[in-house]
Amino acid sequence: MINNIESTVVSTRVRLARNLAGYPFPNRLESEAQAREIVRMVQGAASRLRSFNLYYMNEISEEVAQAICDDHLISTDLVASSFGAALIDEEEAEEPHGKFSIMVNEEDHLREQYILRGLNLPLAYKKISAVDDELSRSLPFAFDGQLGYLTACPTNLGTGLRASVMLFLPGLTRTDKIEPLVAAVAEKGHTVRGVYGEGSAAEGYMYQVSNEVTIGYSEEQILEDVQGAVLEIVRLESQARKALRAGDTIGLKDECCRAVGILSHCERISYAEFLQLASSVKLGAALGFLDISEFSWLDDFISSMRPANLSLFTDVELTPAERDVYRARECRNTFAGVRRSEESGKKRSKI
């Protein structure tokens, strides 16, 4: 089986909430002109740091907005904001491949974040903290000596830091242990949410784990606590997967191998069906049923098959039926090389 952390942890994100002194919170802005003034200030400061691309939410297409949201670079709340904007930059030439984004006029004036693959909270914090330090040199962040950074939501007061990790938890889901896990994590000051954060549902066995409160805790404490919670969940997920294997092994292996068969030969497939089958493929790889050595390409491929991303990749406006045909073609090309593992100890290849 693939390494437990590699097959469980999808990505790491560290976000900092900041507001500008002298301006109302975004939900109390007086006009679009005032909102644009904030965007110009943030863009001016950010442009001296990195080559950020600016996106106004009320000027970009629904497909572009959804694609950026699917990549977790902006929130659904920002997409719905008529005053919102986003600054995005990718470290394409660096390892690990990380992404910076600054949401402007969402719940707070700025929500700075850095996302990278795998589990690396210290690096994610180091990256976004360096950007935050530079922004603070030219932007008047609202700060109180006792309360820390002032934010629209009281739970973000203090450091304004939210550390979150995206996890693939099929074992805990299928053994009906997610609800007890959510309760146990909440008792320790953390939260488990769906794939798109608060109020969203789990999708493809994907969950976000993050700290619930920032005030009264240092950045180091938050990072350590979330790291500890994630490692414990990884351990529990490993136990749950072993329980799955000890149960109906033939039935579970059949499900995973059938998923590869359908994806390798389908002529038309919806995103909902694709996601269900692709999640079974990931489970099969994690349990050693399928000859797959890396998870990152699977996660990238799943993201690329979302409706908004397909439209952007093809650079034409596809109907839902056309998207399903295109998606099926990509699935055939991608999964045709996946084979059932004989668990003979042979070195696996990526595909």
Side-chain angles (χ1 to χ4, degrees), residues 52-341:
F52 285 100
N53 294 317
L54 174 63
Y55 301 87
Y56 280 103
M57 294 299 104
N58 61 358
E59 294 181 359
I60 61 177
S61 67
E62 291 183 10
E63 289 79 9
V64 170
Q66 188 59 54
I68 300 173
C69 186
D70 287 345
D71 287 339
H72 306 285
L73 295 171
I74 61 175
S75 66
T76 54
D77 287 340
L78 187 70
V79 172
S81 171
S82 58
F83 292 166
L87 294 158
I88 297 173
D89 181 50
E90 298 187 27
E91 294 187 308
E92 295 181 351
E94 301 182 26
E95 285 294 335
H97 177 66
K99 300 179 181 181
F100 288 96
S101 74
I102 303 174
M103 292 186 285
V104 187
N105 293 332
E106 195 232 31
E107 184 175 74
D108 296 289
H109 294 143
L110 292 86
R111 287 201 162 182
E112 316 159 22
Q113 59 181 17
Y114 184 80
I115 303 173
L116 74 165
R117 291 173 178 164
L119 179 61
N120 201 331
L121 285 164
L123 178 59
Y125 174 69
K126 179 181 178 181
K127 290 280 191 177
I128 201 60
S129 181
V131 169
D132 185 64
D133 288 344
E134 290 300 320
L135 290 175
S136 68
R137 298 180 193 278
S138 54
L139 294 176
F141 287 158
F143 185 85
D144 180 85
Q146 288 187 315
L147 298 175
Y149 289 100
L150 302 181
T151 56
C153 180
T155 59
N156 290 322
L157 286 170
T159 62
L161 186 152
R162 183 63 57 91
S164 61
V165 178
M166 189 76 72
L167 300 170
F168 176 61
L169 303 177
L172 290 168
T173 303
R174 295 175 68 128
T175 56
D176 297 322
K177 294 182 179 178
I178 282 294
E179 289 189 11
L181 173 68
V182 171
V185 167
E187 290 181 358
K188 297 183 178 181
H190 302 106
T191 184
V192 179
R193 295 188 172 109
V195 67
Y196 292 112
E198 187 173 3
S200 66
E203 182 182 275
Y205 305 126
M206 301 279 276
Y207 302 84
Q208 286 189 68
V209 176
S210 63
N211 58 301
E212 185 69 25
V213 179
T214 63
I215 193 168
Y217 296 89
S218 69
E219 290 87 346
E220 292 75 18
Q221 285 177 306
I222 293 172
L223 297 175
E224 289 176 7
D225 288 350
V226 173
Q227 175 96 357
V230 167
L231 292 177
E232 175 61 13
I233 293 171
V234 169
R235 185 186 69 81
L236 294 173
E237 172 65 17
S238 178
Q239 290 181 346
R241 292 178 186 179
K242 289 177 181 178
L244 287 178
R245 281 180 64 96
D248 183 13
T249 304
I250 297 298
L252 188 58
K253 188 172 185 179
D254 180 69
E255 174 192 331
C256 299
C257 293
R258 280 177 181 270
V260 172
I262 295 172
L263 292 170
S264 300
H265 295 87
C266 60
E267 292 292 332
R268 182 175 62 194
I269 189 167
S270 67
Y271 180 73
E273 183 183 6
F274 161 76
L275 181 61
Q276 179 184 4
L277 295 169
S279 299
S280 293
V281 172
K282 286 182 65 177
L283 176 59
L287 296 178
F289 296 152
L290 298 172
D291 192 22
I292 298 172
S293 64
E294 297 179 15
F295 258 49
S296 60
W297 73 268
L298 264 173
D299 292 321
D300 290 344
F301 184 73
I302 290 171
S303 177
S304 71
M305 291 297 101
R306 293 181 182 277
N309 282 332
L310 281 184
S311 296
L312 292 179
F313 291 155
T314 57
D315 201 28
V316 295
E317 187 173 346
L318 300 175
T319 67
E322 289 171 336
R323 282 200 303 264
D324 292 350
V325 171
Y326 183 91
R327 185 182 294 111
R329 186 187 72 189
E330 293 301 305
C331 287
R332 293 196 303 274
N333 294 336
T334 299
F335 290 98
V338 175
R339 298 288 181 266
R340 184 182 64 182
S341 174

